[in-house]
Amino acid sequence: TQMRSLCDQRHLYPSLPLLSPPIGTMVSLKLQKRLAASVLKCGEKKIWLDPNEINEISLANSRRNIARLERDGLIFKKPTVVHSRARVTLRNEAKRKGRHTGTGKRRGTANARLPVKVLWMRRIRVLRRLLKKMRDAKKIDKHIYHTLYMLAKGNQFKNKRVLLETIHDKKREMAEEKALAEQAVARKSRAKARLARKAARESDKSSAPEE
């Protein structure tokens, strides 16, 4: 063909001037694309070559020439294709309101979607945090703390409200026991005093006739 004959002449006679390919002939720009991808640091698919300047681009056979063409605007890197997340954002907002979460949209089991273990961990951490807070504030002593800690571990309290009610009950029971103990001590002391007075009277009676 005419293009091949031109190349052969160029090979045989290097002093011949570099001629442009004839109009209407397809020119391979694989080399220029590869060099441009190397210069612009991107893939060959991102390279745009000006179709109106194919002849001039085909003459560029070095990275320096490609850089010059890039400065002239005959070659440039295509912009990044935008993958919009606007629809995803809107759908996530709707899901937060409870839309699109019916039975037809669920793929996993209930335990796979929200494991029982996760629910247990959340609940037990809330209960233990409350117990520690009340112990540090001296609202409960270490004995009540340990008792309620073990009850919480045994799944005794379903939420914080039940635990607080139990704490109040325990404190009330302890107050009642303390009051009963104080009453018992007071009764014993009164009984002791009564016995002492009785013994004193008897001793007085027994000593009276002797005088």
Side-chain angles (χ1 to χ4, degrees):
T1 63
Q2 188 178 1
M3 189 66 187
R4 184 176 297 174
S5 62
L6 286 171
C7 293
D8 294 341
Q9 291 175 17
R10 179 71 181 166
H11 180 67
L12 294 173
Y13 306 103
S15 60
L16 283 174
L18 187 63
L19 299 176
S20 301
I23 298 174
T25 305
M26 289 298 294
V27 180
S28 175
L29 300 176
K30 289 180 69 176
L31 170 66
Q32 285 74 16
K33 271 208 170 188
R34 181 175 64 80
L35 294 177
S38 174
V39 170
L40 300 178
K41 295 183 173 58
C42 63
E44 293 184 20
K45 289 184 178 181
K46 303 291 283 183
I47 298 298
W48 181 85
L49 305 174
D50 191 344
N52 298 324
E53 304 292 343
I54 288 178
N55 293 336
E56 186 175 350
I57 293 172
S58 65
L59 300 178
N61 57 3
S62 67
R63 287 178 172 78
R64 180 176 294 177
N65 293 338
I66 293 293
R68 179 177 55 79
L69 293 176
E70 192 262 334
R71 285 194 299 273
D72 294 341
L74 304 185
I75 298 173
F76 65 76
K77 178 182 174 182
K78 293 179 186 176
T80 305
V81 178
V82 177
H83 188 173
S84 174
R85 285 189 55 82
R87 290 183 296 276
V88 179
T89 306
L90 287 174
R91 190 171 183 85
N92 288 341
E93 287 179 4
K95 277 193 171 184
R96 278 195 288 273
K97 295 177 182 176
R99 278 61 158 166
H100 316 296
T101 53
T103 52
K105 292 291 183 182
R106 301 174 194 171
R107 297 298 296 273
T109 63
N111 194 49
R113 289 164 63 85
L114 185 59
V116 175
K117 184 175 181 180
V118 172
L119 293 174
W120 163 259
M121 285 163 56
R122 288 179 184 172
R123 179 155 57 96
I124 197 67
R125 284 173 181 171
V126 168
L127 298 177
R128 287 176 177 172
R129 200 180 299 122
L130 175 65
L131 286 173
K132 184 176 182 298
K133 182 179 175 182
M134 297 195 76
R135 184 190 63 182
D136 294 342
K138 307 294 184 186
K139 292 184 178 179
I140 57 174
D141 59 10
K142 62 180 182 181
H143 305 292
I144 295 180
Y145 171 84
H146 181 70
T147 303
L148 296 177
Y149 189 98
M150 299 309 291
L151 288 175
K153 183 179 179 181
N155 199 20
Q156 188 75 19
F157 313 114
K158 68 176 184 178
N159 53 36
K160 193 160 70 169
R161 178 181 56 80
V162 177
L163 177 58
L164 282 171
E165 290 175 358
T166 308
I167 289 173
H168 295 322
D169 292 342
K170 285 274 184 187
K171 290 175 74 174
R172 187 174 60 252
E173 288 174 7
M174 286 189 66
E176 290 174 357
E177 289 176 0
K178 186 178 180 181
L180 290 173
E182 289 175 354
Q183 289 174 9
V185 170
R187 279 199 302 271
K188 283 182 181 179
S189 62
R190 285 199 301 269
K192 221 178 237 186
R194 192 166 55 248
L195 288 174
R197 287 197 303 271
K198 186 177 180 182
R201 283 198 303 271
E202 288 178 355
S203 65
D204 292 342
K205 284 181 182 179
S206 60
S207 62
E210 293 178 0
E211 293 177 359

